[in-house]
Amino acid sequence: MSFATLGLSPQICQTLSDLGFKTPTDIQQQAIPQILEGKDVLASAQTGTGKTAAFGLPIIQQLLDSPDLDGNNDIAEPEDLPQKKTRGAAVKALILTPTRELAQQVYDNLESYNQGLKIVVVYGGTSMSVQTKNLNAGADIVVATPGRLLDHLFVGNLHLQQTQTLVLDEADRMMDMGFMPDLQRILRRMNQEKQTLFFSATFTKRIREVAHKLLNDPVEIQIASENSTAETVEQIVYPVNKSRKRELLSYLIGSRNWQQVLVFTKTKQTSDVLAKELKLDGIEAASINGDKSQGARQKALDDFKSGRIRALIATDVAARGLDIQQLPHVVNYELPFQAEDYVHRIGRTGRAGEKGQAISLMCAQEQYLLDAIETLLDTRLPQQWLPGYEPTFEEEETQTKRHSRSSEKRKLKAKLKIHSSRGKRR
């Protein structure tokens, strides 16, 4: 099957050919014709299978076929916006993403397929004035994070009354990150007669319930089994004492001559500390997390892609926003609290049919997290002890007892505080 058979114009097909895309992926084959027919779509597919093109290409085609691409006209604002007329950009298609990195990734991909449309990306952590200037020049497609989109709506830089298509990219992550109130505020400002598309790597029961409330008789597309991982990714778990995780990570990078490895941690603090310790081991590394400015995050990502640094240490805020071609290695330095995040983390490797390796460093205290992941995937992940890094159960028992004593002390302090406050009330 070719892209031309999906209903895309010869110009778009030629652009895809120039980019090296020969045949559409499964998600593209199933989603593009449905979107071109104007249907609402609820789609789930593994990361790295071409979801952005699956919704981006038909949106571009629809706008090219539209008789009116004028992005500026006078409109009256809804009740919850300032009661005045404004000349904001009349957005034809809106794509919402949960993170800045994902917004930038989607924008870059759309620009590579673009056929003269005006595409603008807006997200927090960067200049409002630059984004305002871009919007004032007109915007057929806007890629945005919810918070920054609302900022531009309130000052009248754009409006959504003529929006024909709404895309929620990584919708489950939006729910997890608490974006539902912002999403509801955005929906109140939109044309009700619109096409709505839900795209994600996984779909929970809650997401399905929300989707079916917002979508009109949607076509449901599920390429792989829910919460599955790509067959091209080799997964392995290395049990190791918590105190030796950093040492083992440095050993793996050095002894196996890894030139590019993405490492995931659970907290911002751990990502910063780990990057510094790897540098002390002679491994060029940088961290990327929510505390970093957008400029610092983009520089770290650019340095990683160009090979100036070998290890990029990231929190889950970046798990879905990193699109790195042929990334060979992903390491879970710490297993995630939510089992679904494991799927998204390791989905950064093994993309577009390429082979990848996902390694998890697991201490004894994380066994319950591994159990949750294996239950989600309905499979057992292979474990292997590395010579010289075998876990010593004496240390794990000591850490467990120390954790138990700390927990008991916290409970005792809480009881004493309650008792003291009661005494004062008397």
Side-chain angles (χ1 to χ4, degrees), residues 63 66-74 87-92 117-118 136-140 159 162 164:
L63 293 180
S66 174
D68 179 20
L69 288 178
D70 183 13
N72 288 313
N73 39 58
D74 291 322
R87 290 184 59 84
V91 179
K92 303 299 182 182
L117 299 173
K118 297 175 181 177
N136 287 340
D140 301 313
H159 69 83
Q162 298 178 33
Q164 303 166 8

Side-chain angles (χ1 to χ4, degrees), residues 281-292:
D281 290 338
I283 298 170
E284 286 300 317
S287 60
I288 180 171
N289 57 56
D291 282 347
K292 304 286 186 181

Side-chain angles (χ1 to χ4, degrees), residues 400-416:
T400 300
K401 290 178 181 178
R402 186 180 298 117
H403 176 76
S404 178
R405 286 196 298 269
S406 298
S407 179
E408 290 176 0
K409 287 181 180 179
R410 286 194 296 270
K411 291 179 181 178
L412 180 58
K413 287 182 179 179
K415 288 180 180 179
L416 291 174

